[in-house]
Amino acid sequence: AEWWDAVTGRDEDGDLVTTMMHKRWGTTVQLYHEERNSFLPFRFVPHLAWLTDSPTGKAQAVHVSGPGEVEVVGYWHASQHLEELNAVREAPSRLPPTLSLGAWRGELMGSAMLFRHEAHAVNLHDDQFTEPRFLVLTADGFIYLGMGEAGLSVRYNDEGVLTPPPAGLTSLEDGVGYFSSVRDLATGVLPAILGVKPTWMVQLYEEAGAKVKEWSVNRRSQNDFARLIAPGNYAQGKDGAWAWCGKGTGSMLDGSKPYGS
């Protein structure tokens, strides 16, 4: 956490966002606080050179939804954050041991900062695109899990060269970072960084996935349209809240058909 600094504020659209910058490399990530913003792609700046060496003189940011879904854009939401953080890169500030950023929760673990967003869905109607998200800020960059079975590693050595993860199969895309499987990163890379056993990391991810399934089913239960199409799958409790009562868990990932057959 000592290598990172952060600033929170509203972006140009009025959304609350926290921008975090690595003090040495200028690597920057952005987390939106509100649930509705969880449908946005993950946004980051790989290195300070993407800001200072841009041909257009504007911030070169990356939007990524998964392997093969990398878009480099010439703008950065909450652009004032970049100027503020860059101006204090030499300051002796650091991230606190815990952070609450809306739907994101951060805690210091080992030599890194682990952020969790367990109530994430990238599609309102299809559980196949429902998944937990994790962001790990390290002393040399970051690792992001939240693109199905893929994860992204953006870390630099002492010479400022982008380096691949030390374990598992990986591929470099568009010079922005290395994509690997979630399991390779969770079992072969993150345990040493976070100071945990590989089994703990796998269990954490699986438990988060189960929570997301439950969350998506509960959210759908409050949807008038869903209850209209498949009224037999939902029941109202004494407290007035609606809940799933059909066969199975109610999650499409488990084979349920919450909108009827």
Side-chain angles (χ1 to χ4, degrees), residues 31 56 61 148 175 184 212 223:
L31 299 180
T56 62
D184 283 344
V212 169
N223 187 308

mmCIF file of all heavy atoms in Angstrom, residues 31 56 61 148 175 184 212 223:
data_model
loop_
_atom_site.group_PDB
_atom_site.id
_atom_site.type_symbol
_atom_site.label_atom_id
_atom_site.label_comp_id
_atom_site.label_asym_id
_atom_site.label_seq_id
_atom_site.Cartn_x
_atom_site.Cartn_y
_atom_site.Cartn_z
ATOM 1 N N LEU A 31 -11.861 2.715 -9.803
ATOM 2 C CA LEU A 31 -12.960 1.920 -9.267
ATOM 3 C C LEU A 31 -14.181 2.808 -9.059
ATOM 4 O O LEU A 31 -14.103 3.833 -8.372
ATOM 5 C CB LEU A 31 -12.571 1.271 -7.938
ATOM 6 C CG LEU A 31 -11.379 0.297 -7.956
ATOM 7 C CD1 LEU A 31 -11.132 -0.246 -6.557
ATOM 8 C CD2 LEU A 31 -11.595 -0.823 -8.956
ATOM 9 N N THR A 56 -1.207 12.589 -28.965
ATOM 10 C CA THR A 56 -2.244 13.618 -28.938
ATOM 11 C C THR A 56 -2.121 14.539 -27.732
ATOM 12 O O THR A 56 -2.824 15.539 -27.628
ATOM 13 C CB THR A 56 -3.635 12.967 -28.912
ATOM 14 O OG1 THR A 56 -3.765 12.191 -27.703
ATOM 15 C CG2 THR A 56 -3.837 12.066 -30.120
ATOM 16 N N ALA A 61 -5.747 5.761 -22.063
ATOM 17 C CA ALA A 61 -6.269 4.812 -21.094
ATOM 18 C C ALA A 61 -6.702 3.527 -21.787
ATOM 19 O O ALA A 61 -6.879 3.485 -23.008
ATOM 20 C CB ALA A 61 -7.439 5.416 -20.332
ATOM 21 N N GLY A 148 -14.611 -13.405 -16.277
ATOM 22 C CA GLY A 148 -14.891 -14.821 -16.475
ATOM 23 C C GLY A 148 -13.754 -15.665 -15.937
ATOM 24 O O GLY A 148 -13.377 -15.575 -14.774
ATOM 25 N N GLY A 175 0.349 -4.785 -25.669
ATOM 26 C CA GLY A 175 1.337 -4.137 -24.817
ATOM 27 C C GLY A 175 0.798 -3.556 -23.533
ATOM 28 O O GLY A 175 1.496 -2.803 -22.851
ATOM 29 N N ASP A 184 -4.611 -20.026 -12.618
ATOM 30 C CA ASP A 184 -3.146 -19.876 -12.584
ATOM 31 C C ASP A 184 -2.727 -18.717 -11.694
ATOM 32 O O ASP A 184 -1.764 -18.819 -10.921
ATOM 33 C CB ASP A 184 -2.603 -19.672 -14.000
ATOM 34 C CG ASP A 184 -2.552 -20.963 -14.798
ATOM 35 O OD1 ASP A 184 -2.641 -22.047 -14.188
ATOM 36 O OD2 ASP A 184 -2.424 -20.890 -16.039
ATOM 37 N N VAL A 212 -22.438 -14.191 -5.514
ATOM 38 C CA VAL A 212 -22.941 -13.457 -6.668
ATOM 39 C C VAL A 212 -24.173 -14.142 -7.239
ATOM 40 O O VAL A 212 -25.141 -13.493 -7.638
ATOM 41 C CB VAL A 212 -21.844 -13.313 -7.740
ATOM 42 C CG1 VAL A 212 -22.429 -12.785 -9.031
ATOM 43 C CG2 VAL A 212 -20.762 -12.374 -7.247
ATOM 44 N N ASN A 223 -37.955 -8.201 -9.460
ATOM 45 C CA ASN A 223 -38.277 -7.717 -10.801
ATOM 46 C C ASN A 223 -39.720 -8.096 -11.157
ATOM 47 O O ASN A 223 -40.053 -9.281 -11.246
ATOM 48 C CB ASN A 223 -37.283 -8.334 -11.802
ATOM 49 C CG ASN A 223 -37.435 -7.761 -13.189
ATOM 50 O OD1 ASN A 223 -38.532 -7.726 -13.734
ATOM 51 N ND2 ASN A 223 -36.330 -7.320 -13.776
#
